[in-house]
Amino acid sequence: MSKLKIAVQKSGRLHDDSMKLLKDIGISIDNGRDQLKASARNFPLEVFYLRNGDIPQYLKDGVVDVAIIGENVLIEKGNGITVIEKLGFSSCRVSVAIPKGKKYVSVQDLEGKRIATSYPNTVKTFLEQHQVNANLHIINGSVEIAPNIGLADAIVDIVSSGSTLFKNGLKEVDVLLNSEAVLAISPLITEANKTLLDQLQFRLKSVLRAQQHKYVLLNVQNEKLEIIQNILPGMNSPTILPLAKEGWSSLHSVINKNQFWEVIDELKRNGAEGILVCPIENMVL
């Protein structure tokens, strides 16, 4: 029986978020400590635990069919690999950082400078786009220390909170690209495994869609129903149910989490009472 082969990062935050996502879509993984490969109990799926930087080559070679990987790694090493879904977690950016006491006005200030980075292809493309010449020092890990030991004038590395830069006396001055976890597909995936991937992606979409919304229940006087209904359009329109209390109804609807508090405030101003908010596990359209 065919099995879909998926690669995830061996350890770290991206690994943890990837495994949680697989769990959220109902896939149970039998994996023990330090295993490099594991099978799912309830879906034809094998999980490969790999170094993040190695995953693009495994995709190119067809060793794995799909991967959950940082978009920044694909941009650096995954030429020809297609992203089929953005997953909305493990957000970061690839940025230029320099010592706090140094001045930076624009990318032109990097002309002739020494830049330490683990992302040489990304940096070269960025510099070429701005017609800037600089000297690259390729470092795998601990890039932040390079300016402090006199190896570089600036660094280009991934940044999440910026705390690591701060601890090393650096400041972020320019952003090359923004990144998040994505689902990427091998160009060599078989037709049989494309069918399995469609099933997996269907589950992913329902969970990711649910994460962007909240389910809301509220009570309102019937005379205010039209106003509240205009505030709460829902997927097509709100569900309206009569309450035992005469002249009152209960409305059920869905709110995009990015508009949540604004909508709740407007509901309250227009007479909504007893507002309940519930998370949504899956949203199937």
Side-chain angles (χ1 to χ4, degrees):
M1 180 179 177
S2 180
K3 284 190 176 184
L4 185 70
K5 299 181 290 293
I6 185 170
V8 301
Q9 184 173 291
K10 187 177 180 181
S11 60
R13 185 165 64 96
L14 182 54
H15 165 88
D16 296 341
D17 290 340
S18 299
M19 299 311 294
K20 180 181 183 301
L21 180 59
L22 291 177
K23 181 179 179 182
D24 289 344
I25 64 173
I27 294 178
S28 302
I29 310 295
D30 290 321
N31 63 309
R33 185 177 179 84
D34 297 327
Q35 272 188 273
L36 298 180
K37 187 174 76 168
S39 295
R41 292 198 301 271
N42 55 354
F43 191 88
L45 181 78
E46 283 187 322
V47 182
F48 289 66
Y49 302 102
L50 306 171
R51 288 181 62 253
N52 210 32
D54 294 338
I55 291 176
Q57 193 61 51
Y58 278 75
L59 286 167
K60 291 177 183 179
D61 294 341
V63 176
V64 296
D65 301 306
V66 290
I68 298 175
I69 185 173
E71 192 175 10
N72 57 299
V73 179
L74 275 188
I75 291 171
E76 175 65 25
K77 297 183 175 183
N79 185 36
I81 301 298
T82 301
V83 171
I84 59 172
E85 196 76 52
K86 294 199 172 188
L87 301 177
F89 59 83
S90 294
S91 297
C92 66
R93 53 199 179 273
V94 177
S95 297
V96 179
I98 63 173
K100 290 179 181 176
K102 299 295 183 179
K103 183 180 178 182
Y104 185 94
V105 177
S106 73
V107 63
Q108 304 302 323
D109 292 328
L110 297 175
E111 180 70 36
K113 296 295 194 295
R114 300 165 300 162
I115 303 174
T117 185
S118 300
Y119 297 89
N121 295 327
T122 303
V123 177
K124 285 176 185 176
T125 300
F126 176 72
L127 294 176
E128 287 171 0
Q129 288 172 345
H130 293 86
Q131 299 181 323
V132 171
N133 293 308
N135 300 309
L136 299 189
H137 292 271
I138 302 172
I139 299 176
N140 293 315
S142 301
V143 174
E144 298 86 356
I145 198 173
N148 292 329
I149 61 176
L151 181 63
D153 305 298
I155 69 166
V156 173
D157 201 15
I158 57 170
V159 178
S160 295
S161 66
S163 61
T164 303
L165 295 181
F166 180 81
K167 292 174 184 176
N168 285 276
L170 302 175
K171 61 181 179 181
E172 184 179 6
V173 294
D174 218 337
V175 178
L176 281 66
L177 59 92
N178 291 294
S179 174
E180 64 182 271
V182 296
L183 187 68
I185 183 173
S186 167
L188 301 179
I189 187 172
T190 65
E191 288 301 317
N193 281 358
K194 279 185 182 178
T195 300
L196 294 175
L197 176 58
D198 288 342
Q199 296 175 28
L200 183 79
Q201 196 173 5
F202 174 79
R203 295 189 187 191
L204 283 172
K205 285 180 179 294
S206 71
V207 168
L208 295 173
R209 194 181 295 118
Q211 290 173 352
Q212 297 302 311
H213 295 83
K214 300 284 188 181
Y215 190 76
V216 177
L217 303 85
L218 60 88
N219 298 331
V220 64
Q221 290 178 314
N222 290 342
E223 63 191 43
K224 298 178 181 178
L225 268 175
E226 186 175 352
I227 296 173
I228 297 297
Q229 188 171 348
N230 289 333
I231 299 171
L232 278 178
M235 303 304 291
N236 290 308
S237 64
T239 299
I240 303 175
L241 301 172
L243 294 179
K245 185 177 180 180
E246 187 174 349
W248 284 75
S249 293
S250 173
L251 270 71
H252 300 204
S253 191
V254 173
I255 301 177
N256 188 295
K257 74 172 188 178
N258 295 324
Q259 304 170 318
F260 177 74
W261 288 113
E262 292 83 355
V263 172
I264 293 297
D265 288 342
E266 191 173 356
L267 290 171
K268 286 176 62 64
R269 284 196 300 270
N270 285 278
E273 298 181 11
I275 301 173
L276 299 178
V277 181
C278 306
I280 304 172
E281 288 191 4
N282 293 277
M283 186 181 291
V284 180
L285 299 182

